[in-house]
Amino acid sequence: MTQPTKISITPLLRRLWPNPAEANVTASEIALAISHIFTDQLSSVQTGALLTALHFTGWDRKADVIAECAQAMRDAAWCVDVDALRDVVKRRGRREGSYGGGLCDIVGTGGDSHSTFNISTTSSILASSLLLLSKHGNRAATSKSGSADLLTSTTPTPPNLNTITPKTISKVYESTNYAFLYAPVFHPGMKYVATVRRELGWRTIFNLLGPLANPVETVLEARVVGVARRDLGPVFAEALKMAGSKKAMVICGEEDLDEVSCAGRTFCWRLVPRPNPDYRSSNGEDSDTSDDERPPRELVDVEHFMLSASDFGLPAHQLSEVSPGKMPHENAKILMKLLSNQLPSDDPILHFVLMNTAALFVIAGVCDADVSNMGHGDSGEVIRERGPGNGRWKEGVRRARWAVESREALRMWGKFVEVSNEFEDL
């Protein structure tokens, strides 16, 4: 096989250090350099130098750099048949409240060093009881149990994550609301930077890009993104705005936790769309204006507020109660007990998962519905109380409990396991 031609980014590296702003370095230049990594056109030395310069100048934590580099990463991913995916989503998505039936994700940057249970992964399965979920994840980088490690350790039969590919993803949603998009399958170019990242020994921009590099980004309707540092909250919110997101919330527990905290406060940055007063339809007075020139239909604001366990109608729990620090097969046992409704109703890990699932339900919009007909076991009694950020957080918990007690989340999980094992392996 012909080796790709190497590209030198020495001129950019010289401008990146020590002051990229003075040298007028742009996010687009950085994203272009990052894109060469995915095609194996940068040497390991230049790759390491680029990541190091971005890290120590702090430019890997700028909103425009994160947004454009995440776009470069998505552009390099295996292409998904978006039209086919949109078709199945339109047919299978269940509209409710302000939720349009689209794909959703809940994901964190990791790196918070708390070794809590796999909260976002478990919450994604619970949320699939009412939403279409495209959980993007990988194996552990900084913890003992990453999302893929957890799922492939489940019993009696684990899913085959390698069979969920751009070619099969639409077929998955014909059978279930849940899909796990294993990052190495969709982002093969990441293998070219793996050794450099490991040898550098510190977190790089790639630790931040993962949550924004979902391969089905163009079809995502809503998401919750956890960050492990409070200063990254507004940065990620702005990066999401730049990428075109309209329904999202960035969260950071005050303990520097990339989840909604069950112990203390959680800082939230919620993207909220609102009508653009300057928008005119194509039938309006400015009908000669092209679509590119016309003001957008909606503008997106970022609202900042804080949440506590009490806003969800739940008691607080110390992180030590939800940080078993266990290996994947041990966490997998907890996961299956939770999905099978075998944990006590006041179990701290269950409460932790309910809060985070509720957050995604609120952001997706299902909690805006004034009537409830989820199915078997649903009391139909909507909790209309609104809390911080105008969210029905307690209604989110009610729906999350239903997902467990009705075993609807377990049913969706079982269908995902089944369909993933029907496809041929890569």
Side-chain angles (χ1 to χ4, degrees):
M1 182 181 293
T2 304
Q3 293 295 314
T5 302
K6 296 296 182 182
I7 293 175
S8 173
I9 58 167
T10 298
L12 174 62
L13 293 174
R14 286 174 173 162
R15 292 166 57 220
L16 266 176
W17 186 264
N19 193 326
E22 284 188 2
N24 297 315
V25 174
T26 66
S28 297
E29 289 179 285
I30 295 171
L32 178 61
I34 289 289
S35 73
H36 295 320
I37 294 175
F38 305 129
T39 53
D40 196 24
Q41 290 182 281
L42 282 193
S43 70
S44 58
V45 171
Q46 292 217 326
T47 297
L50 174 62
L51 299 182
T52 300
L54 290 174
H55 179 79
F56 286 102
T57 58
W59 271 50
D60 60 357
R61 298 178 292 283
K62 289 178 83 272
D64 56 346
V65 172
I66 291 174
E68 294 202 31
C69 288
Q71 180 66 58
M73 188 172 171
R74 294 193 301 271
D75 289 344
W78 288 122
C79 293
V80 173
D81 186 338
V82 174
D83 290 337
L85 187 57
R86 287 188 191 279
D87 179 67
V88 70
V89 167
K90 184 177 181 180
R91 286 186 286 108
R92 293 270 293 116
R94 174 181 169 179
R95 295 171 177 266
E96 187 172 12
S98 60
Y99 171 54
L103 300 179
C104 304
D105 191 12
I106 178 169
V107 63
T109 59
D112 61 20
S113 303
H114 287 295
S115 298
T116 54
F117 181 70
N118 299 86
I119 298 300
S120 63
T121 306
T122 305
S123 296
S124 71
I125 299 174
L126 261 62
S128 71
S129 59
L130 298 174
L131 312 174
L132 291 179
L133 258 291
S134 286
K135 171 63 176 168
H136 185 222
N138 206 340
R139 295 198 178 274
T142 58
S143 64
K144 291 181 180 179
S145 179
S147 53
D149 301 305
L150 172 76
L151 300 186
T152 55
S153 298
T154 53
T155 58
T157 304
N160 187 343
L161 302 183
N162 288 314
T163 68
I164 311 304
T165 70
K167 291 183 178 180
T168 63
I169 183 65
S170 295
K171 296 177 182 177
V172 172
Y173 289 116
E174 295 284 1
S175 302
T176 178
N177 289 354
Y178 189 80
F180 185 89
L181 280 57
Y182 185 37
V185 171
F186 288 84
H187 297 284
M190 283 296 293
K191 64 177 176 285
Y192 300 122
V193 73
T195 300
V196 173
R197 293 176 67 191
R198 187 164 52 248
E199 293 182 354
L200 281 177
W202 56 71
R203 294 174 66 78
T204 70
I205 191 171
F206 288 108
N207 295 91
L208 304 179
L209 298 184
L212 303 180
N214 193 311
V216 296
E217 171 76 23
T218 56
V219 195
L220 278 183
E221 177 178 343
R223 80 187 91 195
V224 171
V225 179
V227 295
R229 286 174 38 182
R230 183 180 172 186
D231 62 313
L232 287 175
V235 173
F236 262 69
E238 187 62 28
L240 284 166
K241 275 185 62 176
M242 291 177 175
S245 293
K246 294 182 179 179
K247 290 169 69 174
M249 185 165 74
V250 182
I251 54 175
C252 181
E254 67 177 336
E255 309 86 358
D256 284 341
L257 182 72
D258 67 339
E259 322 276 5
V260 171
S261 177
C262 62
R265 297 176 300 170
T266 298
F267 300 100
C268 306
W269 297 264
R270 182 178 181 179
L271 272 61
V272 180
R274 61 178 174 85
N276 183 355
D278 296 326
Y279 174 76
R280 297 291 185 274
S281 70
S282 57
N283 295 323
E285 59 189 39
D286 60 345
S287 57
D288 292 335
T289 304
S290 71
D291 287 342
D292 289 337
E293 297 172 335
R294 188 175 295 120
R297 180 185 297 270
E298 292 180 318
L299 299 176
V300 177
D301 296 327
V302 177
E303 296 182 358
H304 175 51
F305 54 90
M306 288 179 287
L307 289 171
S308 298
S310 59
D311 295 312
F312 295 89
L314 295 170
H317 299 281
Q318 295 300 311
L319 291 185
S320 59
E321 298 179 72
V322 295
S323 304
K326 296 182 181 295
M327 300 303 291
H329 71 278
E330 296 172 301
N331 280 347
K333 289 180 180 179
I334 298 174
L335 167 63
M336 296 313 297
K337 281 187 176 181
L338 190 153
L339 293 179
S340 301
N341 195 26
Q342 293 177 4
L343 292 183
S345 61
D346 60 352
D347 185 274
I349 288 180
L350 174 61
H351 284 175
F352 198 6
V353 172
L354 293 178
M355 289 181 203
N356 282 271
T357 307
L360 183 55
F361 280 158
V362 169
I363 299 308
V366 292
C367 295
D368 291 330
D370 288 330
V371 295
S372 176
N373 185 22
M374 293 183 286
H376 52 288
D378 178 15
S379 67
E381 298 176 2
V382 174
I383 302 175
R384 302 190 182 192
E385 175 188 343
R386 293 187 179 273
N390 201 37
R392 289 179 172 175
W393 312 104
K394 292 177 181 178
E395 171 64 6
V397 169
R398 185 187 74 87
R399 288 173 175 266
R401 277 201 185 276
W402 172 84
V404 175
E405 294 172 358
S406 68
R407 292 177 173 76
E408 183 65 13
L410 178 63
R411 189 173 75 87
M412 288 299 165
W413 169 250
K415 285 182 173 291
F416 172 67
V417 171
E418 181 180 353
V419 72
S420 73
N421 283 289
E422 291 176 352
F423 298 130
E424 289 186 10
D425 206 339
L426 285 177

